Amino acid sequence: MSRLRDVLERLVGASGAERAVISIAALVLSILVGAVIVFVSGLGAACDAGANYHLAIPLPGSFEILLFDGRLSLFGYKSCYDPINVYAKLFVGAIGGLPWESGWQPTNLSMEVLLRRMTLLLFAGLSVAVSFRAGLFNIGTQGQMVWGALVSAVTVLFVADFAPAGLAGTVILLPLALFSGAVAGGIWGAIPGALKAYADANEVITTIMLNFVASFGATLMIKLFFQDPEYSNIGTRRIPVNSLVPSLPMGFQGTRSSILALIFALLFAFIVYFVLWGTSFGFDVRTSGLQPEAATYAGVNAERTIVRSMTISGALGGIAGALWVLLSTGRMLSGGDVAGGSLGFDGITVSVLAGNNPIGVIFGSALFGVLKSGRNAVNFQTDVPPELVEVLPGLIILFVAMPEFFRMIGKRIGLDSGQGSNVRTDGGEDDE
């Protein structure tokens, strides 16, 4: 037990640079472990000949530095799967190929899907990170996204009849859509916050239950009041084209994505970071999350901080829902269909990957987005079974997130003070 405690204390006391090195080492280790799993799985598969391993460093043009080219065997058995090719497809396939390859375009469909996914994941991750920083486990980002998406779509449909056409309408409708989504998500997030603050209700239970309420409630609302009569599935009418996020400065032509939306999300990451580390409210939030007893002793209104934190968390989730309508579908679909029904939960993984740091969420959403998008490329371009492909991104996430997860446990049990569970009088202000 003492060795485990030493490890936890070392993780808790690790600097930002050390944590980055740990994450990179975990990423490399996960790739090696995954490669072994792919190779061994290929030994039991049936194929005419073993996979040909082509390991090379690609260079611009058709040049490359060849490291290995041939077949490998284990005790005379040859593997049918090539781990090198699988990981190349997993990471490079997410952006549609290497930028210096002939025919590669920055506006290709894979890049478009990746950027849109990153944008949505950024807001979902920020939503969860804010609540985590306040010591709250918000499982309800998915529900907050649902209401954000529905209210955003309905508001735009109502106001669009009175708004001017063209760019003038965009200036009015787009901010309105994001604001209404944020308000709806914020209100839905404030409910479990108030229940936690004033009734000591477990926020994990309440947010999970509110996810179901949001999903079924939104579907019922669409059926009763907002159903598009010309649409065969459950969904509202399409919102006007000029209310969508402009696809600038790069004109994506496939589904929908926007560099402007991604820049907007990146800007929010820095704003949330400033709020948490540059304002008195942020200090209250972080202190309450680290040392609630110290925060109360220092005069922090614990109940009000909980409600405000959950409201902001919900508002960020609501913006993610609004962007799902504005970037992906152009209309609100059945409540359970919002972003595939899993984006809010993916935000938990992104936040843990990022150590609940808003700037880290940028990189966490990029990694998670690449893994999600690259998985499709592996499925379409290799003969590796989909079940095995599903294992590889999960393995990477598990390895990268585990050190940060154990670090959170160490902080939770007070190992950052070096004095067990004693209360720090500074509220753990050195946390970054």
Side-chain angles (χ1 to χ4, degrees), residues 244-270:
L244 302 175
V245 183
S247 184
L248 296 173
M250 298 159 61
F252 292 104
Q253 300 298 322
T255 52
R256 278 201 61 83
S257 186
S258 172
I259 296 296
L260 293 180
L262 181 59
I263 294 174
F264 179 66
L266 294 174
L267 180 63
F268 252 84
F270 286 100

Side-chain angles (χ1 to χ4, degrees), residues 94-95 106-125 145 238 244-248 250 252-266 319-331 333 337-340 343-344 346 350 361-362 364-374 376:
I95 59 173
T107 56
N108 67 72
L109 180 60
S110 297
M111 181 68 85
E112 181 176 352
V113 173
L114 171 63
L115 294 180
R116 187 183 62 204
R117 185 167 282 151
M118 277 181 57
T119 304
L120 298 176
L121 282 170
L122 237 168
F123 275 106
M145 285 181 58
R238 279 196 175 277
L244 302 175
V245 183
S247 184
L248 296 173
M250 298 159 61
F252 292 104
Q253 300 298 322
T255 52
R256 278 201 61 83
S257 186
S258 172
I259 296 296
L260 293 180
L262 181 59
I263 294 174
F264 179 66
L266 294 174
I319 294 175
L323 281 174
W324 177 72
V325 171
L326 298 171
L327 290 174
S328 297
T329 59
R331 73 169 86 206
L333 301 176
D337 292 337
V338 172
L343 187 65
D346 293 341
V350 170
V361 168
I362 297 173
S365 61
L367 175 61
F368 201 82
V370 165
L371 294 176
K372 280 259 184 176
S373 298
N376 297 331

Side-chain angles (χ1 to χ4, degrees), residues 341-383:
S342 66
L343 187 65
F345 303 105
D346 293 341
I348 298 173
T349 307
V350 170
S351 182
V352 173
L353 282 173
N356 305 320
N357 185 308
I359 304 301
V361 168
I362 297 173
F363 302 99
S365 61
L367 175 61
F368 201 82
V370 165
L371 294 176
K372 280 259 184 176
S373 298
R375 186 173 52 190
N376 297 331
V378 176
N379 280 328
F380 284 118
Q381 300 178 25
T382 72
D383 55 357

Side-chain angles (χ1 to χ4, degrees), residues 164-239:
L167 182 60
T170 302
V171 174
I172 296 173
L173 295 175
L174 184 56
L176 182 64
L178 296 172
F179 178 74
S180 58
V183 171
I187 292 173
W188 202 247
I191 294 173
L195 291 172
K196 171 72 175 180
Y198 300 107
D200 199 25
N202 189 303
E203 77 277 13
V204 175
I205 304 299
T206 54
T207 51
I208 289 175
M209 298 306 293
L210 285 172
N211 280 340
F212 290 105
V213 175
S215 178
F216 292 117
T219 300
L220 181 63
M221 293 284 285
I222 295 172
K223 284 183 175 179
L224 293 179
F225 305 110
F226 309 117
Q227 175 66 40
D228 181 356
E230 299 180 356
Y231 189 59
S232 57
N233 297 321
I234 302 172
T236 64
R237 290 184 290 118
R238 279 196 175 277
I239 59 177

Side-chain angles (χ1 to χ4, degrees), residues 1-259:
M1 290 295 292
S2 61
R3 180 173 292 275
L4 176 60
R5 184 185 179 87
D6 291 343
V7 172
L8 288 178
E9 285 183 340
R10 186 69 186 89
L11 284 173
V12 170
S15 65
E18 290 174 328
R19 289 162 59 193
V21 171
I22 292 172
S23 296
I24 294 172
L27 176 63
V28 173
L29 182 61
S30 67
I31 291 175
L32 292 175
V33 172
V36 171
I37 292 175
V38 172
F39 179 80
V40 173
S41 300
L43 294 175
C47 57
D48 295 333
N52 188 71
Y53 293 78
H54 184 83
L55 181 60
I57 300 175
L59 298 174
S62 58
F63 301 101
E64 63 182 19
I65 299 175
L66 181 63
L67 301 177
F68 178 81
D69 187 73
R71 289 181 167 80
L72 295 176
S73 63
L74 182 67
F75 304 117
Y77 293 95
K78 293 182 179 178
S79 175
C80 293
Y81 306 143
D82 179 1
I84 300 171
N85 185 45
V86 168
Y87 276 105
K89 292 289 185 285
L90 184 63
F91 288 106
V92 180
I95 59 173
L98 294 171
W100 50 78
E101 287 181 344
S102 176
W104 185 86
Q105 295 290 332
T107 56
N108 67 72
L109 180 60
S110 297
M111 181 68 85
E112 181 176 352
V113 173
L114 171 63
L115 294 180
R116 187 183 62 204
R117 185 167 282 151
M118 277 181 57
T119 304
L120 298 176
L121 282 170
L122 237 168
F123 275 106
L126 288 174
S127 170
V128 178
V130 169
S131 63
F132 273 168
R133 279 292 171 187
L136 304 167
F137 202 44
N138 180 16
I139 310 290
T141 297
Q142 187 66 31
Q144 292 142 21
M145 285 181 58
V146 169
W147 285 122
L150 176 61
V151 173
S152 174
V154 171
T155 302
V156 169
L157 288 171
F158 178 76
V159 177
D161 294 336
F162 309 99
L167 182 60
T170 302
V171 174
I172 296 173
L173 295 175
L174 184 56
L176 182 64
L178 296 172
F179 178 74
S180 58
V183 171
I187 292 173
W188 202 247
I191 294 173
L195 291 172
K196 171 72 175 180
Y198 300 107
D200 199 25
N202 189 303
E203 77 277 13
V204 175
I205 304 299
T206 54
T207 51
I208 289 175
M209 298 306 293
L210 285 172
N211 280 340
F212 290 105
V213 175
S215 178
F216 292 117
T219 300
L220 181 63
M221 293 284 285
I222 295 172
K223 284 183 175 179
L224 293 179
F225 305 110
F226 309 117
Q227 175 66 40
D228 181 356
E230 299 180 356
Y231 189 59
S232 57
N233 297 321
I234 302 172
T236 64
R237 290 184 290 118
R238 279 196 175 277
I239 59 177
V241 175
N242 66 341
S243 65
L244 302 175
V245 183
S247 184
L248 296 173
M250 298 159 61
F252 292 104
Q253 300 298 322
T255 52
R256 278 201 61 83
S257 186
S258 172
I259 296 296

